[in-house]
Amino acid sequence: MYPKKIANETAEVIQNYLTYQAVRLIIDQLSETNPKKGIWLRQYASSQNIQKGEAFIEGLMAEDKELVLRILKVREYLASEVMEFMPQMVRHNINQANVEHRRQLLERLTGSPSMSSTASESENDDSKPNSD
């Protein structure tokens, strides 16, 4: 395993995603304050590869420097707000998902029905009228 390489690639993905979220947020804001510019940014973003955040920003520099500065500011704000919670949330979500997947795998291996389907079946049985 190469934890540092994985961390670098993960950081790049998060950075690109925060750029995407910043652009979406600015488009929403512009749709209320400057609809024409909001439409332009939406069209520009849909015609470019926004998944590569840094290349997207570099391309936008040639079109609208003001929007670039706004994206950078919003992206930095999002990073400062979001990143505080990320490590703990990711660990928790992965642990919870792993527990659920292991439970499902164990049920499949042992052939036992899932507890959730058993519970829903018993609720359905309770809702059926007695034919006595």
Side-chain angles (χ1 to χ4, degrees):
M1 258 204 286
Y2 306 101
K4 190 168 184 174
K5 183 178 186 287
I6 293 169
N8 284 331
E9 291 172 356
T10 303
E12 184 180 335
V13 169
I14 291 171
Q15 184 174 339
N16 289 332
Y17 185 72
L18 291 176
T19 302
Y20 165 77
Q21 287 295 338
V23 170
R24 281 189 50 196
L25 183 61
I26 291 167
I27 289 171
D28 289 346
Q29 292 170 345
L30 287 173
S31 69
E32 294 178 15
T33 59
N34 189 344
K36 187 176 179 181
K37 197 167 198 172
I39 291 169
W40 181 88
L41 182 57
R42 177 177 281 118
Q43 290 173 340
Y44 181 82
S46 67
S47 70
Q48 303 299 313
N49 185 3
I50 197 165
Q51 293 177 340
K52 298 290 184 188
E54 301 315 302
F56 175 83
I57 289 172
E58 288 174 20
L60 185 59
M61 274 187 216
E63 302 290 331
D64 192 324
K65 291 167 185 56
E66 180 185 320
L67 280 175
V68 169
L69 292 173
R70 192 169 177 176
I71 291 168
L72 296 178
K73 187 173 185 172
V74 171
R75 179 175 74 164
E76 187 174 2
Y77 170 78
L78 290 173
S80 69
E81 292 296 310
V82 169
M83 294 312 296
E84 179 181 338
F85 306 105
M86 286 290 293
Q88 180 182 358
M89 288 175 80
V90 169
R91 278 193 293 273
H92 173 76
N93 291 347
I94 287 176
N95 287 337
Q96 289 298 109
N98 285 352
V99 165
E100 180 62 21
H101 292 304
R102 286 181 180 121
R103 182 188 63 78
Q104 290 175 5
L105 182 60
L106 182 60
E107 288 170 355
R108 288 182 183 162
L109 292 172
T110 61
S112 62
S114 73
M115 295 180 81
S116 60
S117 66
T118 306
S120 65
E121 288 172 4
S122 66
E123 287 174 7
N124 289 339
D125 288 343
D126 294 342
S127 64
K128 292 179 184 173
N130 267 342
S131 58
D132 294 331

